[in-house]
């Protein structure tokens, strides 16, 4: 057993993997679809901002829908496409709609560039020309909120007004320049109040932690029970297993916990300032390597549980040395899976492969890295708690935007995104998109829950009198509160550890106090460390 301390170069590769996992708490956050500007509410200017689907037909052929954002003023749009009408589109003259239009637009949807005048002024001119609706083409890809000016004390705009992105406007303009007929249909579908796919993601996260915590019992129950019995007799305060000499186990120390969070913060800043496609590619390659190794370990453990004889035949390979034939075949399968996902990572179904690789990686990580006691757990999770809140909520005060959310978006120019997260499509949402949770939001509480599972086994606790069950329930409640917070804050990114840490670490401390075991939990494993120091003192020069 080794302790994870910064000076120890033997575990540099593991530190790198942990770093990649830890910073990716950012990817767990839900990113808003438009930038938020302050706006003034006045009579006729009290609409809620809504996302709009713009269906379009070019010469009668339907194309992919465009996305828009309604203004704070104007008529409301129906929530169902069947309740809306299809109108031809036409550019206004002048293009910015900042003065009276030169021609009538009866029965047509007006298209205007952003220009320099107020949005309300554009809408008045379009409505006066008889337009059925006004689409303002932004000068960038973001969708800005169109509010009112102070002078708009009593506004009465009776046509729908919305904004579309620059690329959407360019696509419409290209079709119209080629003298093609363009027709548009506008509607604003509502998102479901309850996001059922978020529940599936919650089950995936909790299930990953539970499987990782009980992995040794699931794959080799006889050896696990024997090992825990020996530890309970010989080392009553032991918190980790040493029965398998081929399995390297690392206990995180207090110093290592602080060092890890500081290093993760530095790495997050590097991504914030130097985000590029090649940087994301490097992270994606590391993710593939780690996921492939984790998948290999899991498949091997499952196969060898029932068929131990399959791992006896070995072969000697150049550079790789001696390895079992079974391990070689499994490695080939895992490599093929990782390469296939890397090639297809931009497809609509790539989330399946990403989740499989991610879950395998996290289960393996939780077997290798462990918390020795509640003292180290408190330092690590409290630091992660502050880390998550600072980089999501406080960093905009210093960097003018949320560092965590910007990193979660990845490199917008190339379409590459950080892969260290679990994601699942919003199947029941008309807007689609993904629910996501970062690896850090699973690994940090997972380390504590894994410790609770080992502690219960050593103390031979029944599940209801132990810590594992209650901390697992607390973790699920913490994730549920995260999604409630996400809903109440209109989709603004939430630091999951803000809710998860009190529901896991806080619960563990409260249970320890009530049961009179907090001191033992706090110093768990220290007697073993002291005995080893006495038996093997440091040599004196």
């Amino acid at each position: 057993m080794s302790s994870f301390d910064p000076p120890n170069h033997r575990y540099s590769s593991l530190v790198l993997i942990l770093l990649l996992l830890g910073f990716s708490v950012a990817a767990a956050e839900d990113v808003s679809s438009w930038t938020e500007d302050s706006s003034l509410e006045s009579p006729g200017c009290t609409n809620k901002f809504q996302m709009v689907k713009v269906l379009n037909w070019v010469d009668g052929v339907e194309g992919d829908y465009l996305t828009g954002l309604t203004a704070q003023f104007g008529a409301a749009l129906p929530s169902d496409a069947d309740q809306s009408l299809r109108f031809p589109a036409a550019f206004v003259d002048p293009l910015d709609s900042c003065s009276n239009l030169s021609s009538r637009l009866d029965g047509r949807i007006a298209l205007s560039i952003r220009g320099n005048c107020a949005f309300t002024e554009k809408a008045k001119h379009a409505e006066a020309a008889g337009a059925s609706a006004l689409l303002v083409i932004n000068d960038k890809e973001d969708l800005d909120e169109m509010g009112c000016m102070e002078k708009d004390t009593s506004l009465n705009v009776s046509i729908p007004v919305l904004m579309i992105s620059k690329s959407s406007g360019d696509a419409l303009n290209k079709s119209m320049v080629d003298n093609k007929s363009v027709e548009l249909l506008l509607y604003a579908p509502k998102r479901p109040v309850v996001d059922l796919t978020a529940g599936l993601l919650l089950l995936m996260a909790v299930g990953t932690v539970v499987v990782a915590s009980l992995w040794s019992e699931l794959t080799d129950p006889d050896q696990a029970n024997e090992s825990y019995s020996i530890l309970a007799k010989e080392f009553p305060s032991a918190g980790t297993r040493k029965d398998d000499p081929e399995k390297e186990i690392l206990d995180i120390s207090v110093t290592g916990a602080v060092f890890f969070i500081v290093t993760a913060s530095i790495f997050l800043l590097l991504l914030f300032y130097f985000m590029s496609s090649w940087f994301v590619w490097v992270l994606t390659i590391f993710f593939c390597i780690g996921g492939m190794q984790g998948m290999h370990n899991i498949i091997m453990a499952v196969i060898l549980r029932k068929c131990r004889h399959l791992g006896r035949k070995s072969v000697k390979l150049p550079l790789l040395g001696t390895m079992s034939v079974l391990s070689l075949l499994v490695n080939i399968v895992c490599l093929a899976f990782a390469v296939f996902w890397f090639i297809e990572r931009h497809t609509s179904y790539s989330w399946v492969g990403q989740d499989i690789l991610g879950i395998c990686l996290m289960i393996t990580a939780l077997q290798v890295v462990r918390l020795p006691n509640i003292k180290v757990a408190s330092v690590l999770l409290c630091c992660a708690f502050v880390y998550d809140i600072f980089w999501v909520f406080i960093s905009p005060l210093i960097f003018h935007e949320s560092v965590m959310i910007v990193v979660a978006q990845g490199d917008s120019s190339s379409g590459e995104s950080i892969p260290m997260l679990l994601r699942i499509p919003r199947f029941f949402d008309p807007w689609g998109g993904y629910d996501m949770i970062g690896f850090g939001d699973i690994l940090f509480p997972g380390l504590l829950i894994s410790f609770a599972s080992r502690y219960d086994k050593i103390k031979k606790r029944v599940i209801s009198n132990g810590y594992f069950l209650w901390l697992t329930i607390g973790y699920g409640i913490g994730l549920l509160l995260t999604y409630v917070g996400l809903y109440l804050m209109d989709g603004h990114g939430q630091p999951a550890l803000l809710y998860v840490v009190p529901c896991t670490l806080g619960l563990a401390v409260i249970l320890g106090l009530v049961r009179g075991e907090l001191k033992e939990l706090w110093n768990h494993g220290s007697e073993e460390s002291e005995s080893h120091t006495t038996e093997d003192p440091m040599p004196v020069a």
Side-chain angles (χ1 to χ4, degrees), residues 395-409:
S395 62
L397 302 177
I398 303 173
F399 303 96
H400 307 295
E401 52 187 340
S402 174
V403 173
M404 191 77 86
I405 291 179
V406 170
V407 172
Q409 291 175 324

Side-chain angles (χ1 to χ4, degrees), residues 464-534:
S464 59
N465 292 330
Y467 292 87
F468 170 71
L469 173 64
W470 302 112
L471 294 192
T472 300
I473 294 174
Y475 177 52
I477 293 174
L479 290 180
L480 182 62
L481 291 176
T482 302
Y483 288 109
V484 171
L486 193 65
Y487 172 77
L488 294 177
M489 295 188 67
D490 295 324
H492 188 280
Q494 294 295 296
L497 295 181
L498 169 66
Y499 307 94
V500 169
V501 170
C503 291
T504 52
L505 179 63
L507 180 59
V509 172
I510 292 174
L511 284 176
L513 283 171
V514 171
R515 296 171 177 176
E517 299 173 341
L518 183 58
K519 184 176 181 180
E520 182 181 354
L521 289 167
W522 188 265
N523 298 309
H524 192 67
S526 60
E527 294 180 11
E528 181 188 6
S529 300
E530 293 173 2
S531 65
H532 277 257
T533 304
T534 304

Side-chain angles (χ1 to χ4, degrees), residues 1 10 93 329 352 419 479 483 496 535:
M1 181 104 53
R10 292 173 55 195
D93 184 18
L329 294 175
V352 177
L479 290 180
Y483 288 109
E535 294 170 7

Side-chain angles (χ1 to χ4, degrees), residues 26-42:
E29 320 305 337
D30 194 13
V31 182
S32 298
S33 301
W34 64 88
T35 56
E36 295 183 3
D37 296 329
S38 58
S39 54
L40 178 70
E41 284 196 4
S42 60

Side-chain angles (χ1 to χ4, degrees), residues 264-274 391 399 403 407:
S265 297
I266 294 173
F267 195 65
L268 190 66
L269 277 177
L270 289 175
L271 281 170
F272 177 72
Y273 283 113
F274 303 106
W391 292 116
F399 303 96
V403 173
V407 172

